Structures are given as C-alpha cells and as structure tokens.
Amino acid sequence: GGELVVAGRSHAPREGSVLVFRGDQSHRVKAFCLNNEGDCAVDQTPETKRISFVLEQYRVVPEKLRRTPLFIIAPTATEQALLPLLASLRPLGPGLQDAYLWVRRRWLSGGHM
C-alpha cells in the first residue's frame, strides 16, 4: 500500500524520491496499513490505523499570491484555556491578548505577513 496512482498508473513510494505531476490530473494514494495485510479496511480500529502525508507545491504568479488567504495554525488547547484568562486582566488584558496573538501569527508564519 501507499502507492500514488496518477492517471491510472501506480508509483511505489521510495525513500528520497519525488514525483512531479500536474495537480489537476486524477490522482489518489492507495491505503497503507501497519498490519502488512494489503489494503486497509476503512475503519478506525487500532489494528488498521492509516498513515497519510501529502506535500503539495504550487507555482503562483505574484498578483494571485497576494490574494491568497494566510495559513494560520489554530491555538493549542493550553492557549485556548489561557487566552480568556489573559483577556480578563483589566485594563491591559485585551491588549495583551491581541499582542500575543499577533506575535504568534508572525512567529508561526515565519514573518511572511
């Protein structure tokens, strides 16, 4: 399992390999199972967990890139629990929360904002 199928042709994964193809072509990844019994059943039992990793890259002209929404990583569970507490600290809390979120976005985006 784990083969990439592009336009009906199967490509087995190999360490360090890269396969380049048009993203608008019909493509899919065959199921990969940890139990080495071929194709996985589509369920969530621990014996048939599935691994999937996809990296896609696009060439985008600058004017379209400027119109592309930013990718933002959601706050962690700890941050979600602590941000309301931070915001409740009057009078500076709301400003501190906004500043924290701004710094977090800049840091996680690599400063590309």
Side-chain angles (χ1 to χ4, degrees):
E3 293 89 5
L4 175 65
V5 180
V6 179
R9 191 165 162 220
S10 186
H11 304 272
R14 291 189 321 265
E15 185 176 341
S17 67
V18 174
L19 181 65
V20 179
F21 63 96
R22 287 184 51 122
D24 59 353
Q25 284 182 296
S26 172
H27 62 283
R28 67 184 180 89
V29 176
K30 290 183 180 178
F32 172 84
C33 292
L34 298 176
N35 61 12
N36 295 325
E37 295 178 12
D39 286 346
C40 295
V42 182
D43 63 355
Q44 299 299 320
T45 61
E47 298 81 33
T48 58
K49 286 185 180 178
R50 182 173 172 174
I51 298 172
S52 179
F53 179 79
V54 176
L55 174 63
E56 296 194 25
Q57 180 177 342
Y58 298 89
R59 290 190 181 113
V60 181
V61 294
E63 57 270 12
K64 286 189 178 182
L65 185 59
R66 283 190 291 277
R67 296 190 319 234
T68 303
L70 295 175
F71 179 83
I72 298 173
I73 298 174
T76 65
T78 301
E79 289 173 317
Q80 289 178 15
L82 294 177
L83 284 172
L85 177 64
L86 180 62
S88 71
L89 300 174
R90 300 287 176 188
L92 300 176
L96 289 173
Q97 179 183 6
D98 291 344
Y100 172 79
L101 292 172
W102 182 85
V103 168
R104 184 184 186 281
R105 277 194 304 273
R106 297 281 296 184
W107 181 67
L108 290 175
S109 71
H112 298 297
M113 293 181 65

